[in-house]
């Protein structure tokens, strides 16, 4: 059993706990919150869970061997570092770290301590992802157009003059770090690291992006994408091949997929989705952690590194600077 401690008390943390427990491979042992009362309310449905409001005491708790981090993006680095120094494996929400400097430091430290750091990019662990990858493997890719744009629940606060974590450069916020990361993960996990990238964005007065258009350039094709948090798009994502067009309702958790052949014939895919969208990810991570599966870990680590470098290059193109970069 993986003895889990979690950082954060928001809905995504609860969803991960539910997914982890559903696999039957984890038990929840501890929660870190800035507020003991908030922590107690958060674990009201569970028994025998310790609550900590001090990070050092939390990570050094001998009851846990794994820390899941679901805090604002810029805090991941110091929290992951503290957990690794205390000898714990880490699962960290996407985007794992603010820039390549943080990324390299954390992964070097983890390697030295023979510990695992896993980035929670849930959609690449979905069965749909593997089905699509296998389907595309014998096709020639000509181009792709991906979209992820959803009116943010934090938009009202922003418009009222507040600065929610999500839109704050102090917390490594912005739409590329929030929704864009799904598109970049999907693209790199499907096609490998791009030769070069572009990103043009609409910036908020805080300095981070609220919407933007990106391109990943490959030798024989480009993948372009649109991401936004100030509007909702109902467009599908499309991958154009020499045999026809693959149409996905979303790449950030595909529910529907169809291939429209050049002659217009359409082939619908049978897509199995888990009820909890984090289930497949929690199960995949348990396999790596319980069996010390170095082969699978190396693949995920290389992918996480390429995504981190790509996000950084795109931010540089759009002149988005986080406090963590300074
Ligand atoms: N994989 C997915 O589907 C998915 C979905 C949503 C979010 N995420 C990722 O999950 C992470 C958290 O996102 P979120 O929207 O849940 O963030 P959030 O609500 O801003 O913060 C998450 C938690 O961090 C703590 N926190 C908030 N502000 C803090 C501050 N100023 N200083 C220290 N701790 C603070 C809070 O816990 P306490 O008050 O208890 O300390 C809060 O519950 C992000 O990296 C995000 O990208 C992933």
């Amino acid at each position: 059993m993986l003895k889990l401690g979690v950082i954060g008390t928001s809905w995504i943390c609860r969803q991960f706990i539910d997914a982890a427990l559903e696999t039957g491979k984890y038990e929840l042992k501890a929660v870190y919150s800035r507020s003991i009362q908030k922590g107690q309310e958060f674990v009201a449905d569970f028994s025998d869970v310790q609550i900590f409001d001090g990070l050092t005491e939390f990570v050094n708790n001998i009851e846990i061997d794994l820390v899941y981090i679901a805090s604002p993006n810029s805090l991941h680095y110091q929290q992951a570092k503290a957990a690794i120094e205390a000898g714990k494996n880490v699962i960290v929400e996407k985007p794992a770290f603010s820039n390549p400097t943080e990324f390299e430091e954390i992964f070097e430290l983890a390697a030295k301590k023979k510990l695992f750091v896993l980035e929670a990019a849930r959609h690449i662990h979905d069965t749909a992802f593997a089905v699509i990858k296998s389907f595309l493997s014998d096709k020639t890719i000509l181009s792709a157009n991906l979209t992820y744009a959803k009116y943010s629940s934090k938009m009202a606060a922003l418009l009222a003059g507040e600065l929610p974590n999500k839109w704050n450069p102090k917390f490594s916020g912005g739409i590329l770090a929030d929704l864009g990361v799904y598109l970049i993960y999907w693209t790199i996990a499907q096609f490998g690291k791009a030769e070069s990238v572009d990103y043009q964005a609409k910036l908020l007065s805080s300095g981070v992006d609220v919407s933007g258009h990106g391109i990943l350039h490959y030798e024989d094709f480009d993948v372009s994408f649109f991401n936004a948090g100030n509007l909702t798009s109902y467009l599908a994502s499309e991958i154009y091949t020499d045999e026809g067009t693959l149409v996905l309702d979303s790449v950030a958790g595909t529910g529907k997929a169809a291939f429209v052949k050049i002659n217009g014939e359409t082939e619908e895919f049978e897509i199995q989705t888990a009820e909890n969208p984090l289930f497949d990810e929690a199960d995949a991570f348990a396999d790596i952690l319980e069996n010390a599966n170095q082969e699978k870990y190396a693949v995920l680590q290389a992918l996480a590194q390429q995504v981190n470098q790509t996000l950084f290059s795109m931010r540089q193109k759009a002149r988005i600077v986080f406090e963590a970069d300074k």
Side-chain angles (χ1 to χ4, degrees):
M1 271 294 176
L2 297 161
K3 294 184 277 173
L4 176 68
V6 302
I7 296 181
T9 52
S10 68
W11 68 269
I12 187 65
C13 194
R14 175 62 195 247
Q15 198 172 60
F16 182 80
I17 293 169
D18 290 343
L21 298 186
E22 200 185 325
T23 66
K25 297 171 183 170
Y26 300 74
E27 50 189 340
L28 179 65
K29 300 300 262 181
V31 172
Y32 165 75
S33 170
R34 291 165 300 168
S35 148
I36 293 285
Q37 194 192 333
K38 208 171 168 186
Q40 278 165 346
E41 284 163 14
F42 184 69
V43 298
D45 295 342
F46 307 99
S47 50
D48 298 326
V49 182
Q50 296 182 69
I51 315 295
F52 294 87
D53 61 359
L55 184 65
T56 310
E57 295 72 34
F58 166 75
V59 293
N60 283 292
N61 175 11
I62 53 161
E63 288 296 316
I64 62 173
D65 50 31
L66 167 66
V67 173
Y68 166 73
I69 302 173
S71 57
N73 302 338
S74 65
L75 305 183
H76 297 175
Y77 162 76
Q78 46 129 326
Q79 291 168 340
K81 192 171 171 183
I84 296 164
E85 279 168 347
K88 315 296 187 211
N89 293 304
V90 169
I91 297 174
V92 55
E93 264 306 333
K94 53 74 185 149
F97 304 111
S98 297
N99 52 49
T101 309
E102 287 189 356
F103 186 99
E104 297 307 331
E105 189 187 328
I106 292 295
F107 276 86
E108 262 172 41
L109 185 63
K112 231 183 254 171
K113 295 248 184 190
K114 300 198 175 0
L115 293 167
F116 295 98
V117 178
L118 295 156
E119 183 173 24
R122 57 169 171 71
H123 59 316
I124 61 153
H125 301 283
D126 292 349
T127 43
F129 181 87
V131 168
I132 289 160
K133 187 158 178 158
S134 150
F135 178 77
L136 289 176
S137 64
D138 63 352
K139 315 260 177 313
T140 301
I141 308 299
L142 304 175
S143 183
N145 217 329
L146 313 180
T147 302
Y148 196 4
K150 196 169 165 211
Y151 193 84
S152 164
S153 60
K154 299 287 163 32
M155 218 49 219
L158 182 75
L159 294 172
E162 294 167 34
L163 189 51
N165 298 342
K166 183 175 176 146
W167 302 120
N168 191 339
K170 182 176 157 205
F171 291 113
S172 305
I175 203 63
L176 189 67
D178 184 22
L179 302 188
V181 65
Y182 289 98
L183 306 175
I184 292 168
Y185 240 105
W186 191 92
T187 303
I188 297 179
Q190 287 287 349
F191 308 126
K193 195 178 181 201
E195 291 185 348
S196 64
V197 296
D198 281 306
Y199 187 57
Q200 290 197 349
K202 292 276 177 242
L203 303 189
L204 296 167
S205 59
S206 69
V208 303
D209 50 332
V210 70
S211 69
H213 290 88
I215 308 182
L216 294 103
H217 301 284
Y218 291 86
E219 191 180 352
D220 297 320
F221 61 92
D222 285 346
V223 174
S224 40
F225 72 79
F226 174 59
N227 63 175
N230 57 348
L231 57 88
T232 299
S233 167
Y234 299 94
L235 283 178
S237 290
E238 295 187 328
I239 296 89
Y240 310 103
T241 79
D242 56 337
E243 296 176 27
T245 300
L246 179 63
V247 185
L248 308 174
D249 59 344
S250 165
V251 297
T254 302
K256 281 189 186 157
F259 188 63
V260 186
K261 295 179 191 165
I262 288 167
N263 66 8
E265 242 175 63
T266 300
E267 191 183 304
E268 304 273 349
F269 285 65
E270 285 228 359
I271 301 284
Q272 309 274 351
T273 52
E275 205 171 305
N276 183 325
L278 306 190
F279 178 86
D280 291 333
E281 158 189 273
D283 204 41
F285 290 163
D287 173 45
I288 291 175
L289 294 165
E290 286 186 328
N291 304 312
N293 191 328
Q294 296 294 347
E295 209 176 311
K296 280 193 186 161
Y297 179 62
V299 172
L300 290 184
Q301 183 183 342
L303 176 59
Q305 184 182 39
Q306 291 169 2
V307 169
N308 178 274
Q309 290 168 350
T310 302
L311 287 169
F312 188 63
S313 301
M314 286 197 168
R315 279 203 294 117
Q316 285 180 313
K317 294 273 177 182
R319 297 197 163 79
I320 300 163
V321 181
F322 292 157
E323 285 194 13
D325 301 332
K326 292 174 187 164

